[in-house]
Amino acid sequence: VFKNKDDKPWSTVAFEAQLSIAEANLKEGLTHIAKRHMDNMQSYFEKDSEKIGDLLRTRYHLCLFRASYLSDLGDPNCLFPDRHKAIRKAEEELEKAEMYLTRRLKHYEKLSELPQSNLHPQFFFLSRVYAHRAKLYIFFSSYMQKLTPLETLLKPIELLEKARIYAARDGDPSLY
């Protein structure tokens, strides 16, 4: 699917464009259209291709999170039989996104460049991961990791504080 007329693989710019289209569709609630875009790219993101960087993989998994989180259980084409499975899948996608961001961050730590940069959009994506995870704890705490009642109240606050700190590190005052 992702080959041009010379049968060469698409460039990174093409993947970024497809992800931007999927993100826009998800923001509008058009999960079917976004899911179609992501399904077309799935084979490229599943294999460990050197062409696709960690930030693109993070964006892809954040799109999959949003698609799972917004899934309409009443739809006959829905992949999830119940909300619990949809939320578990959404949490898995957040963990994958965080893993790719952590892997990318380790590269900059090895170069000793971490204190010299705000690493945009690294910290922006980390703030989104933690904010989305807090959202899951706020709205679906019974489906998340089992915590004591007090921890269940405090976990979203902790995650939102992490998201706020990473947003500040990114340098975006509107998210801070």
Side-chain angles (χ1 to χ4, degrees), residues 37-160:
H37 283 284
M38 291 183 297
D39 287 344
N40 288 338
M41 295 182 286
Q42 183 177 7
S43 64
Y44 286 94
F45 283 99
E46 284 181 351
K47 60 184 173 183
D48 199 14
S49 170
E50 293 296 320
K51 189 174 199 91
I52 299 174
D54 290 336
L55 280 179
L56 278 179
R57 290 181 186 281
T58 298
R59 285 180 63 195
Y60 175 73
H61 287 291
L62 286 173
C63 283
L64 288 177
F65 157 79
R66 198 170 190 128
S68 300
Y69 179 75
L70 296 175
S71 61
D72 180 11
L73 299 179
D75 183 12
N77 296 329
C78 183
L79 301 174
F80 308 107
D82 59 11
R83 182 60 57 193
H84 181 267
K85 289 197 180 359
I87 295 304
R88 298 305 309 158
K89 178 67 174 167
E91 187 179 24
E92 285 175 23
E93 296 303 334
L94 282 179
E95 288 170 5
K96 288 177 185 175
E98 187 176 14
M99 182 216 30
Y100 285 117
L101 288 170
T102 305
R103 189 170 84 174
R104 183 176 186 264
L105 195 57
K106 286 180 183 175
H107 171 74
Y108 288 101
E109 286 175 349
K110 287 178 187 174
L111 295 175
S112 299
E113 292 294 325
L114 190 58
Q116 299 175 19
S117 172
N118 65 7
L119 290 179
H120 179 76
Q122 170 82 25
F123 292 117
F124 168 77
F125 286 127
L126 272 173
S127 73
R128 296 296 84 213
V129 165
Y130 286 119
H132 288 318
R133 191 169 286 139
K135 191 184 332 180
L136 291 177
Y137 272 100
I138 291 169
F139 296 113
F140 302 104
S141 60
S142 61
Y143 298 152
M144 301 301 287
Q145 169 188 346
K146 297 297 180 203
L147 302 170
T148 66
L150 180 61
E151 289 174 328
T152 302
L153 290 173
L154 295 178
K155 188 68 172 180
I157 295 169
E158 173 191 339
L159 291 168
L160 287 171

